[in-house]
Short mmCIF file of all heavy atoms in Angstrom, two decimals:
data_model
loop_
_atom_site.label_atom_id
_atom_site.label_comp_id
_atom_site.label_asym_id
_atom_site.label_seq_id
_atom_site.Cartn_x
_atom_site.Cartn_y
_atom_site.Cartn_z
N MET L 1 173.79 -50.92 -140.53
CA MET L 1 172.80 -50.13 -141.23
C MET L 1 171.46 -50.43 -140.56
O MET L 1 171.14 -51.51 -140.22
CB MET L 1 172.77 -50.57 -142.68
CG MET L 1 171.68 -49.94 -143.47
SD MET L 1 171.59 -50.46 -145.17
CE MET L 1 173.23 -50.16 -145.76
N SER L 2 170.67 -49.31 -140.50
CA SER L 2 169.34 -49.44 -140.03
C SER L 2 168.43 -48.62 -140.88
O SER L 2 168.83 -47.59 -141.46
CB SER L 2 169.19 -49.04 -138.57
OG SER L 2 169.38 -47.65 -138.43
N LEU L 3 167.22 -49.08 -141.06
CA LEU L 3 166.25 -48.40 -141.90
C LEU L 3 165.01 -48.16 -140.98
O LEU L 3 164.54 -49.06 -140.35
CB LEU L 3 165.85 -49.23 -143.13
CG LEU L 3 167.02 -49.59 -144.07
CD1 LEU L 3 166.51 -50.62 -145.10
CD2 LEU L 3 167.61 -48.42 -144.71
N ARG L 4 164.55 -46.93 -140.98
CA ARG L 4 163.33 -46.62 -140.26
C ARG L 4 162.30 -46.05 -141.21
O ARG L 4 162.60 -45.16 -141.95
CB ARG L 4 163.60 -45.60 -139.13
CG ARG L 4 164.50 -46.18 -138.03
CD ARG L 4 164.66 -45.18 -136.91
NE ARG L 4 163.36 -45.03 -136.21
CZ ARG L 4 163.20 -44.16 -135.26
NH1 ARG L 4 164.15 -43.38 -134.83
NH2 ARG L 4 162.03 -44.02 -134.66
N PHE L 5 161.10 -46.56 -141.13
CA PHE L 5 160.07 -46.13 -142.04
C PHE L 5 158.97 -45.40 -141.26
O PHE L 5 158.54 -45.89 -140.19
CB PHE L 5 159.45 -47.31 -142.80
CG PHE L 5 160.53 -48.16 -143.42
CD1 PHE L 5 160.70 -49.46 -143.03
CD2 PHE L 5 161.36 -47.67 -144.39
CE1 PHE L 5 161.67 -50.27 -143.57
CE2 PHE L 5 162.33 -48.44 -144.95
CZ PHE L 5 162.49 -49.72 -144.56
N PHE L 6 158.51 -44.33 -141.83
CA PHE L 6 157.45 -43.57 -141.18
C PHE L 6 156.32 -43.28 -142.16
O PHE L 6 156.63 -42.91 -143.31
CB PHE L 6 158.01 -42.23 -140.64
CG PHE L 6 159.08 -42.38 -139.62
CD1 PHE L 6 160.40 -42.36 -139.97
CD2 PHE L 6 158.74 -42.59 -138.30
CE1 PHE L 6 161.38 -42.50 -139.03
CE2 PHE L 6 159.72 -42.77 -137.34
CZ PHE L 6 161.05 -42.71 -137.69
N THR L 7 155.13 -43.46 -141.74
CA THR L 7 153.96 -43.10 -142.49
C THR L 7 154.03 -43.62 -143.92
O THR L 7 154.04 -42.90 -144.93
CB THR L 7 153.76 -41.59 -142.50
OG1 THR L 7 154.03 -41.07 -141.17
CG2 THR L 7 152.30 -41.28 -142.84
N VAL L 8 154.05 -44.95 -144.07
CA VAL L 8 154.04 -45.61 -145.35
C VAL L 8 152.61 -45.76 -145.83
O VAL L 8 151.72 -46.12 -145.04
CB VAL L 8 154.72 -47.00 -145.22
CG1 VAL L 8 154.72 -47.70 -146.57
CG2 VAL L 8 156.15 -46.87 -144.72
N TYR L 9 152.38 -45.46 -147.08
CA TYR L 9 151.02 -45.64 -147.62
C TYR L 9 151.06 -46.43 -148.92
O TYR L 9 152.11 -46.55 -149.57
CB TYR L 9 150.36 -44.30 -147.86
CG TYR L 9 150.88 -43.54 -149.04
CD1 TYR L 9 150.26 -43.59 -150.28
CD2 TYR L 9 152.05 -42.76 -148.94
CE1 TYR L 9 150.75 -42.92 -151.39
CE2 TYR L 9 152.52 -42.08 -150.03
CZ TYR L 9 151.90 -42.17 -151.26
OH TYR L 9 152.41 -41.54 -152.33
N GLY L 10 149.95 -47.01 -149.28
CA GLY L 10 149.84 -47.75 -150.53
C GLY L 10 148.90 -48.92 -150.37
O GLY L 10 148.18 -49.01 -149.40
N PRO L 11 148.88 -49.80 -151.37
CA PRO L 11 147.99 -50.94 -151.28
C PRO L 11 148.18 -51.76 -149.99
O PRO L 11 149.27 -51.92 -149.50
CB PRO L 11 148.39 -51.85 -152.48
CG PRO L 11 149.07 -50.88 -153.43
CD PRO L 11 149.72 -49.87 -152.56
N ARG L 12 147.09 -52.24 -149.46
CA ARG L 12 147.05 -53.01 -148.22
C ARG L 12 147.56 -52.28 -146.99
O ARG L 12 148.05 -52.86 -146.00
CB ARG L 12 147.85 -54.32 -148.39
CG ARG L 12 147.26 -55.17 -149.47
CD ARG L 12 148.01 -56.50 -149.51
NE ARG L 12 147.57 -57.20 -150.76
CZ ARG L 12 148.38 -57.91 -151.49
NH1 ARG L 12 149.64 -58.06 -151.20
NH2 ARG L 12 147.90 -58.53 -152.54
N GLN L 13 147.42 -50.94 -147.05
CA GLN L 13 147.88 -50.16 -145.89
C GLN L 13 146.98 -50.38 -144.68
O GLN L 13 145.91 -50.91 -144.77
CB GLN L 13 147.92 -48.69 -146.26
CG GLN L 13 146.53 -48.09 -146.50
CD GLN L 13 146.63 -46.69 -147.03
OE1 GLN L 13 147.75 -46.18 -147.32
NE2 GLN L 13 145.53 -45.99 -147.15
N ARG L 14 147.51 -49.95 -143.56
CA ARG L 14 146.74 -50.10 -142.32
C ARG L 14 145.44 -49.25 -142.40
O ARG L 14 145.54 -48.11 -142.80
CB ARG L 14 147.58 -49.62 -141.12
CG ARG L 14 148.71 -50.51 -140.82
CD ARG L 14 149.58 -50.04 -139.66
NE ARG L 14 148.99 -49.03 -138.82
CZ ARG L 14 149.74 -48.12 -138.13
NH1 ARG L 14 151.02 -48.17 -138.21
NH2 ARG L 14 149.14 -47.25 -137.38
N PRO L 15 144.35 -49.77 -141.98
CA PRO L 15 143.09 -49.04 -142.07
C PRO L 15 142.93 -47.87 -141.12
O PRO L 15 142.06 -47.04 -141.26
CB PRO L 15 142.01 -50.12 -141.80
CG PRO L 15 142.69 -51.16 -141.02
CD PRO L 15 144.14 -51.18 -141.53
N ASP L 16 143.86 -47.75 -140.16
CA ASP L 16 143.79 -46.62 -139.22
C ASP L 16 144.66 -45.43 -139.67
O ASP L 16 144.65 -44.43 -139.01
CB ASP L 16 144.19 -47.07 -137.82
CG ASP L 16 145.63 -47.55 -137.77
OD1 ASP L 16 146.11 -48.15 -138.76
OD2 ASP L 16 146.25 -47.41 -136.71
N MET L 17 145.28 -45.54 -140.83
CA MET L 17 146.12 -44.44 -141.32
C MET L 17 145.27 -43.39 -142.05
O MET L 17 144.20 -43.67 -142.58
CB MET L 17 147.15 -45.01 -142.31
CG MET L 17 148.13 -46.01 -141.69
SD MET L 17 149.17 -45.28 -140.43
CE MET L 17 150.26 -44.35 -141.43
N ALA L 18 145.78 -42.17 -142.05
CA ALA L 18 145.01 -41.04 -142.61
C ALA L 18 144.58 -41.25 -144.04
O ALA L 18 143.43 -40.97 -144.41
CB ALA L 18 145.81 -39.73 -142.47
N PHE L 19 145.52 -41.72 -144.91
CA PHE L 19 145.14 -41.89 -146.32
C PHE L 19 143.90 -42.83 -146.42
O PHE L 19 142.97 -42.52 -147.15
CB PHE L 19 146.29 -42.54 -147.08
CG PHE L 19 147.23 -41.53 -147.72
CD1 PHE L 19 148.40 -41.25 -147.09
CD2 PHE L 19 146.87 -40.87 -148.86
CE1 PHE L 19 149.26 -40.29 -147.67
CE2 PHE L 19 147.71 -39.93 -149.45
CZ PHE L 19 148.94 -39.67 -148.85
N HIS L 20 143.93 -43.94 -145.74
CA HIS L 20 142.81 -44.88 -145.80
C HIS L 20 141.55 -44.25 -145.32
O HIS L 20 140.48 -44.32 -145.94
CB HIS L 20 143.16 -46.12 -144.99
CG HIS L 20 142.17 -47.19 -145.05
ND1 HIS L 20 142.14 -48.16 -146.06
CD2 HIS L 20 141.05 -47.43 -144.32
CE1 HIS L 20 141.11 -48.96 -145.90
NE2 HIS L 20 140.41 -48.56 -144.82
N ARG L 21 141.62 -43.58 -144.14
CA ARG L 21 140.41 -42.93 -143.58
C ARG L 21 139.87 -41.81 -144.48
O ARG L 21 138.65 -41.76 -144.68
CB ARG L 21 140.73 -42.38 -142.19
CG ARG L 21 140.92 -43.44 -141.18
CD ARG L 21 141.20 -42.81 -139.85
NE ARG L 21 141.31 -43.83 -138.78
CZ ARG L 21 141.22 -43.60 -137.53
NH1 ARG L 21 141.01 -42.37 -137.10
NH2 ARG L 21 141.31 -44.56 -136.66
N PHE L 22 140.72 -40.97 -144.98
CA PHE L 22 140.29 -39.85 -145.80
C PHE L 22 139.66 -40.34 -147.10
O PHE L 22 138.61 -39.87 -147.52
CB PHE L 22 141.47 -38.89 -146.11
CG PHE L 22 141.90 -38.06 -144.91
CD1 PHE L 22 141.31 -38.20 -143.70
CD2 PHE L 22 142.93 -37.16 -145.12
CE1 PHE L 22 141.75 -37.40 -142.60
CE2 PHE L 22 143.37 -36.36 -144.07
CZ PHE L 22 142.74 -36.53 -142.77
N LEU L 23 140.31 -41.28 -147.78
CA LEU L 23 139.78 -41.77 -149.06
C LEU L 23 138.50 -42.55 -148.87
O LEU L 23 137.56 -42.44 -149.66
CB LEU L 23 140.81 -42.61 -149.77
CG LEU L 23 142.04 -41.85 -150.27
CD1 LEU L 23 143.09 -42.78 -150.80
CD2 LEU L 23 141.68 -40.77 -151.26
N LYS L 24 138.41 -43.30 -147.79
CA LYS L 24 137.15 -44.05 -147.51
C LYS L 24 136.00 -43.06 -147.22
O LYS L 24 134.92 -43.26 -147.72
CB LYS L 24 137.38 -44.98 -146.33
CG LYS L 24 136.17 -45.87 -146.07
CD LYS L 24 136.47 -46.88 -144.98
CE LYS L 24 135.23 -47.74 -144.72
NZ LYS L 24 135.40 -48.60 -143.58
N ALA L 25 136.26 -42.04 -146.45
CA ALA L 25 135.26 -41.05 -146.13
C ALA L 25 134.81 -40.33 -147.42
O ALA L 25 133.62 -40.12 -147.62
CB ALA L 25 135.76 -40.04 -145.14
N ALA L 26 135.77 -39.96 -148.27
CA ALA L 26 135.44 -39.30 -149.52
C ALA L 26 134.61 -40.22 -150.43
O ALA L 26 133.57 -39.80 -151.03
CB ALA L 26 136.69 -38.86 -150.28
N ARG L 27 135.00 -41.49 -150.48
CA ARG L 27 134.25 -42.47 -151.32
C ARG L 27 132.83 -42.64 -150.79
O ARG L 27 131.87 -42.74 -151.59
CB ARG L 27 134.96 -43.83 -151.25
CG ARG L 27 134.28 -44.91 -152.09
CD ARG L 27 134.78 -46.30 -151.75
NE ARG L 27 134.37 -46.64 -150.42
CZ ARG L 27 134.90 -47.64 -149.70
NH1 ARG L 27 135.88 -48.34 -150.18
NH2 ARG L 27 134.46 -47.89 -148.47
N ASP L 28 132.71 -42.63 -149.46
CA ASP L 28 131.35 -42.88 -148.88
C ASP L 28 130.54 -41.61 -148.67
O ASP L 28 129.44 -41.64 -148.12
CB ASP L 28 131.53 -43.60 -147.52
CG ASP L 28 132.18 -44.97 -147.68
OD1 ASP L 28 132.17 -45.53 -148.81
OD2 ASP L 28 132.67 -45.51 -146.66
N GLY L 29 131.15 -40.44 -149.07
CA GLY L 29 130.41 -39.19 -148.91
C GLY L 29 130.27 -38.73 -147.46
O GLY L 29 129.33 -37.97 -147.16
N ARG L 30 131.19 -39.16 -146.62
CA ARG L 30 131.15 -38.76 -145.22
C ARG L 30 132.17 -37.67 -144.98
O ARG L 30 133.18 -37.56 -145.67
CB ARG L 30 131.45 -39.97 -144.31
CG ARG L 30 130.33 -41.01 -144.32
CD ARG L 30 130.62 -42.13 -143.39
NE ARG L 30 131.72 -42.94 -143.84
CZ ARG L 30 132.86 -43.10 -143.20
NH1 ARG L 30 133.07 -42.47 -142.07
NH2 ARG L 30 133.85 -43.87 -143.68
N PRO L 31 132.00 -36.86 -143.93
CA PRO L 31 132.97 -35.85 -143.62
C PRO L 31 134.27 -36.45 -143.03
O PRO L 31 134.29 -37.56 -142.56
CB PRO L 31 132.27 -35.03 -142.51
CG PRO L 31 131.25 -35.92 -141.90
CD PRO L 31 130.82 -36.88 -143.02
N VAL L 32 135.36 -35.70 -143.21
CA VAL L 32 136.67 -36.15 -142.70
C VAL L 32 136.91 -35.49 -141.35
O VAL L 32 136.67 -34.29 -141.20
CB VAL L 32 137.77 -35.76 -143.69
CG1 VAL L 32 139.14 -36.09 -143.13
CG2 VAL L 32 137.56 -36.44 -145.01
N THR L 33 137.33 -36.29 -140.38
CA THR L 33 137.69 -35.71 -139.08
C THR L 33 139.11 -35.22 -139.04
O THR L 33 140.01 -35.99 -139.38
CB THR L 33 137.50 -36.76 -137.97
OG1 THR L 33 136.15 -37.23 -138.02
CG2 THR L 33 137.79 -36.22 -136.61
N VAL L 34 139.28 -33.93 -138.73
CA VAL L 34 140.64 -33.33 -138.66
C VAL L 34 140.83 -32.96 -137.22
O VAL L 34 140.03 -32.27 -136.61
CB VAL L 34 140.74 -32.10 -139.58
CG1 VAL L 34 142.12 -31.43 -139.41
CG2 VAL L 34 140.49 -32.49 -141.02
N PHE L 35 141.95 -33.41 -136.66
CA PHE L 35 142.28 -33.12 -135.29
C PHE L 35 143.17 -31.89 -135.27
O PHE L 35 143.96 -31.63 -136.16
CB PHE L 35 142.98 -34.30 -134.63
CG PHE L 35 142.11 -35.54 -134.53
CD1 PHE L 35 142.22 -36.55 -135.48
CD2 PHE L 35 141.13 -35.65 -133.58
CE1 PHE L 35 141.43 -37.66 -135.45
CE2 PHE L 35 140.33 -36.74 -133.52
CZ PHE L 35 140.46 -37.77 -134.47
N GLY L 36 143.03 -31.14 -134.18
CA GLY L 36 143.84 -29.85 -134.06
C GLY L 36 143.30 -28.83 -134.97
O GLY L 36 142.12 -28.81 -135.31
N ASP L 37 144.18 -27.94 -135.41
CA ASP L 37 143.78 -26.81 -136.25
C ASP L 37 143.91 -27.08 -137.74
O ASP L 37 143.65 -26.23 -138.57
CB ASP L 37 144.50 -25.50 -135.86
CG ASP L 37 145.99 -25.62 -136.07
OD1 ASP L 37 146.47 -26.62 -136.64
OD2 ASP L 37 146.71 -24.72 -135.62
N GLY L 38 144.37 -28.28 -138.12
CA GLY L 38 144.50 -28.64 -139.52
C GLY L 38 145.75 -28.19 -140.16
O GLY L 38 145.96 -28.40 -141.37
N ARG L 39 146.66 -27.51 -139.43
CA ARG L 39 147.89 -27.05 -140.02
C ARG L 39 149.09 -27.99 -139.91
O ARG L 39 150.15 -27.75 -140.39
CB ARG L 39 148.30 -25.67 -139.41
CG ARG L 39 147.30 -24.57 -139.79
CD ARG L 39 147.75 -23.23 -139.27
NE ARG L 39 147.82 -23.27 -137.81
CZ ARG L 39 148.31 -22.28 -137.08
NH1 ARG L 39 148.78 -21.20 -137.61
NH2 ARG L 39 148.34 -22.39 -135.77
N GLN L 40 148.88 -29.10 -139.18
CA GLN L 40 149.95 -30.04 -139.02
C GLN L 40 150.33 -30.65 -140.37
O GLN L 40 149.52 -30.89 -141.22
CB GLN L 40 149.53 -31.18 -138.13
CG GLN L 40 150.57 -32.28 -137.90
CD GLN L 40 150.10 -33.41 -137.07
OE1 GLN L 40 148.96 -33.38 -136.53
NE2 GLN L 40 150.89 -34.42 -136.92
N THR L 41 151.66 -30.90 -140.57
CA THR L 41 152.09 -31.54 -141.83
C THR L 41 152.83 -32.84 -141.54
O THR L 41 153.31 -33.00 -140.38
CB THR L 41 153.02 -30.61 -142.64
OG1 THR L 41 154.20 -30.32 -141.86
CG2 THR L 41 152.31 -29.33 -143.02
N ARG L 42 152.92 -33.63 -142.52
CA ARG L 42 153.66 -34.93 -142.33
C ARG L 42 154.13 -35.38 -143.69
O ARG L 42 153.48 -35.13 -144.72
CB ARG L 42 152.69 -35.95 -141.71
CG ARG L 42 153.27 -37.33 -141.61
CD ARG L 42 152.39 -38.22 -140.77
NE ARG L 42 153.02 -38.26 -139.47
CZ ARG L 42 152.47 -38.71 -138.38
NH1 ARG L 42 151.24 -39.14 -138.39
NH2 ARG L 42 153.13 -38.75 -137.26
N ASP L 43 155.24 -36.06 -143.73
CA ASP L 43 155.73 -36.66 -144.95
C ASP L 43 155.26 -38.09 -145.08
O ASP L 43 155.18 -38.79 -144.07
CB ASP L 43 157.27 -36.63 -145.00
CG ASP L 43 157.84 -35.20 -145.10
OD1 ASP L 43 157.20 -34.38 -145.78
OD2 ASP L 43 158.88 -34.97 -144.47
N PHE L 44 154.95 -38.47 -146.28
CA PHE L 44 154.45 -39.87 -146.58
C PHE L 44 155.43 -40.53 -147.57
O PHE L 44 156.00 -39.88 -148.42
CB PHE L 44 153.02 -39.83 -147.11
CG PHE L 44 152.01 -39.27 -146.17
CD1 PHE L 44 151.77 -37.91 -146.13
CD2 PHE L 44 151.39 -40.08 -145.27
CE1 PHE L 44 150.88 -37.40 -145.25
CE2 PHE L 44 150.47 -39.57 -144.37
CZ PHE L 44 150.19 -38.22 -144.37
N THR L 45 155.54 -41.84 -147.44
CA THR L 45 156.39 -42.60 -148.35
C THR L 45 155.57 -43.73 -148.97
O THR L 45 154.94 -44.51 -148.24
CB THR L 45 157.57 -43.20 -147.63
OG1 THR L 45 158.23 -42.19 -146.86
CG2 THR L 45 158.59 -43.85 -148.56
N PHE L 46 155.58 -43.83 -150.29
CA PHE L 46 154.80 -44.86 -150.97
C PHE L 46 155.50 -46.19 -150.74
O PHE L 46 156.73 -46.27 -150.79
CB PHE L 46 154.68 -44.53 -152.44
CG PHE L 46 153.80 -45.48 -153.18
CD1 PHE L 46 152.47 -45.58 -152.86
CD2 PHE L 46 154.31 -46.27 -154.20
CE1 PHE L 46 151.63 -46.46 -153.58
CE2 PHE L 46 153.49 -47.15 -154.87
CZ PHE L 46 152.11 -47.23 -154.55
N VAL L 47 154.76 -47.24 -150.57
CA VAL L 47 155.27 -48.56 -150.21
C VAL L 47 156.28 -49.11 -151.23
O VAL L 47 157.24 -49.75 -150.89
CB VAL L 47 154.10 -49.57 -149.96
CG1 VAL L 47 153.36 -49.87 -151.23
CG2 VAL L 47 154.60 -50.83 -149.31
N ALA L 48 156.07 -48.80 -152.52
CA ALA L 48 157.01 -49.26 -153.54
C ALA L 48 158.40 -48.62 -153.38
O ALA L 48 159.45 -49.28 -153.66
CB ALA L 48 156.46 -48.96 -154.93
N ASP L 49 158.41 -47.40 -152.85
CA ASP L 49 159.71 -46.72 -152.61
C ASP L 49 160.44 -47.40 -151.43
O ASP L 49 161.66 -47.49 -151.39
CB ASP L 49 159.48 -45.24 -152.37
CG ASP L 49 158.98 -44.51 -153.58
OD1 ASP L 49 159.35 -44.94 -154.72
OD2 ASP L 49 158.21 -43.56 -153.40
N ILE L 50 159.62 -47.84 -150.45
CA ILE L 50 160.21 -48.54 -149.31
C ILE L 50 160.83 -49.88 -149.77
O ILE L 50 161.92 -50.22 -149.37
CB ILE L 50 159.14 -48.82 -148.21
CG1 ILE L 50 158.65 -47.49 -147.62
CG2 ILE L 50 159.64 -49.75 -147.11
CD1 ILE L 50 159.64 -46.68 -146.84
N VAL L 51 160.10 -50.59 -150.60
CA VAL L 51 160.62 -51.85 -151.12
C VAL L 51 161.91 -51.62 -151.84
O VAL L 51 162.91 -52.36 -151.68
CB VAL L 51 159.53 -52.54 -152.03
CG1 VAL L 51 160.10 -53.76 -152.73
CG2 VAL L 51 158.34 -52.92 -151.19
N ALA L 52 161.97 -50.59 -152.72
CA ALA L 52 163.18 -50.32 -153.45
C ALA L 52 164.36 -49.98 -152.52
O ALA L 52 165.49 -50.42 -152.73
CB ALA L 52 162.96 -49.15 -154.42
N ALA L 53 164.08 -49.25 -151.44
CA ALA L 53 165.14 -48.92 -150.49
C ALA L 53 165.67 -50.16 -149.76
O ALA L 53 166.84 -50.31 -149.54
CB ALA L 53 164.62 -47.88 -149.47
N VAL L 54 164.75 -51.03 -149.35
CA VAL L 54 165.17 -52.25 -148.65
C VAL L 54 165.98 -53.13 -149.54
O VAL L 54 167.02 -53.74 -149.13
CB VAL L 54 163.92 -53.00 -148.10
CG1 VAL L 54 164.28 -54.37 -147.59
CG2 VAL L 54 163.24 -52.18 -146.99
N ARG L 55 165.59 -53.18 -150.83
CA ARG L 55 166.35 -54.06 -151.77
C ARG L 55 167.68 -53.45 -152.07
O ARG L 55 168.69 -54.18 -152.28
CB ARG L 55 165.54 -54.21 -153.06
CG ARG L 55 164.28 -55.03 -152.82
CD ARG L 55 163.54 -55.34 -154.09
NE ARG L 55 164.32 -56.27 -154.86
CZ ARG L 55 164.11 -56.54 -156.13
NH1 ARG L 55 163.12 -55.93 -156.75
NH2 ARG L 55 164.87 -57.42 -156.79
N ALA L 56 167.84 -52.11 -152.10
CA ALA L 56 169.10 -51.46 -152.46
C ALA L 56 170.04 -51.36 -151.29
O ALA L 56 171.26 -51.30 -151.45
CB ALA L 56 168.82 -50.08 -153.00
N ALA L 57 169.53 -51.31 -150.06
CA ALA L 57 170.35 -51.11 -148.85
C ALA L 57 171.55 -52.07 -148.74
O ALA L 57 172.64 -51.64 -148.47
CB ALA L 57 169.48 -51.17 -147.60
N PRO L 58 171.35 -53.34 -148.89
CA PRO L 58 172.54 -54.27 -148.74
C PRO L 58 173.56 -54.10 -149.84
O PRO L 58 174.70 -54.57 -149.65
CB PRO L 58 171.93 -55.65 -148.80
CG PRO L 58 170.48 -55.53 -148.92
CD PRO L 58 170.17 -54.12 -149.12
N LEU L 59 173.25 -53.41 -150.92
CA LEU L 59 174.18 -53.25 -152.00
C LEU L 59 175.10 -52.05 -151.80
O LEU L 59 176.09 -51.91 -152.51
CB LEU L 59 173.38 -53.10 -153.32
CG LEU L 59 172.44 -54.22 -153.67
CD1 LEU L 59 171.67 -53.96 -154.92
CD2 LEU L 59 173.15 -55.57 -153.71
N ARG L 60 174.77 -51.18 -150.85
CA ARG L 60 175.61 -50.01 -150.58
C ARG L 60 176.82 -50.42 -149.81
O ARG L 60 176.72 -51.15 -148.85
CB ARG L 60 174.82 -48.96 -149.77
CG ARG L 60 173.52 -48.46 -150.43
CD ARG L 60 173.81 -47.38 -151.35
NE ARG L 60 174.58 -46.34 -150.69
CZ ARG L 60 174.72 -45.11 -151.15
NH1 ARG L 60 174.09 -44.75 -152.24
NH2 ARG L 60 175.43 -44.19 -150.50
N PRO L 61 178.00 -49.87 -150.16
CA PRO L 61 179.19 -50.18 -149.39
C PRO L 61 179.09 -49.53 -148.00
O PRO L 61 178.52 -48.44 -147.88
CB PRO L 61 180.32 -49.55 -150.19
CG PRO L 61 179.69 -48.58 -151.16
CD PRO L 61 178.25 -49.01 -151.32
N ALA L 62 179.66 -50.19 -147.03
CA ALA L 62 179.60 -49.65 -145.61
C ALA L 62 180.53 -48.46 -145.55
O ALA L 62 181.63 -48.43 -146.14
CB ALA L 62 180.03 -50.76 -144.66
N ARG L 63 180.10 -47.49 -144.76
CA ARG L 63 180.98 -46.33 -144.48
C ARG L 63 181.85 -46.68 -143.29
O ARG L 63 181.34 -47.17 -142.27
CB ARG L 63 180.15 -45.08 -144.16
CG ARG L 63 179.86 -44.31 -145.36
CD ARG L 63 179.31 -42.93 -145.01
NE ARG L 63 178.37 -42.94 -143.93
CZ ARG L 63 177.72 -41.87 -143.49
NH1 ARG L 63 177.96 -40.74 -144.02
NH2 ARG L 63 176.87 -41.96 -142.51
N LEU L 64 183.09 -46.30 -143.34
CA LEU L 64 183.97 -46.50 -142.18
C LEU L 64 183.97 -45.27 -141.34
O LEU L 64 184.03 -44.15 -141.83
CB LEU L 64 185.43 -46.80 -142.67
CG LEU L 64 185.59 -48.09 -143.50
CD1 LEU L 64 187.01 -48.16 -143.97
CD2 LEU L 64 185.27 -49.27 -142.60
N ARG L 65 183.91 -45.47 -140.03
CA ARG L 65 184.01 -44.32 -139.11
C ARG L 65 185.37 -44.32 -138.52
O ARG L 65 185.93 -45.30 -138.15
CB ARG L 65 182.98 -44.47 -137.97
CG ARG L 65 181.58 -44.23 -138.44
CD ARG L 65 180.69 -44.06 -137.26
NE ARG L 65 179.38 -43.65 -137.75
CZ ARG L 65 178.39 -43.42 -136.95
NH1 ARG L 65 178.50 -43.61 -135.72
NH2 ARG L 65 177.26 -43.01 -137.47
N VAL L 66 185.95 -43.13 -138.48
CA VAL L 66 187.32 -42.99 -137.92
C VAL L 66 187.24 -42.27 -136.60
O VAL L 66 186.50 -41.40 -136.39
CB VAL L 66 188.22 -42.23 -138.88
CG1 VAL L 66 189.61 -42.06 -138.35
CG2 VAL L 66 188.18 -42.92 -140.24
#
């Protein structure tokens, strides 16, 4: 089993991530820098959901490949 995490956000997140930058700019009344045309999308996962997945992963039965 392998778990790959992409774009995790939440408390103590990396300061170079979009959520941190956008919220800090909004708090400080500064403009937000958007790269490209602004139409790019991305999925985000809250850190508590990652913790739940990591804790549940070893409890799942292994799938057999034939």
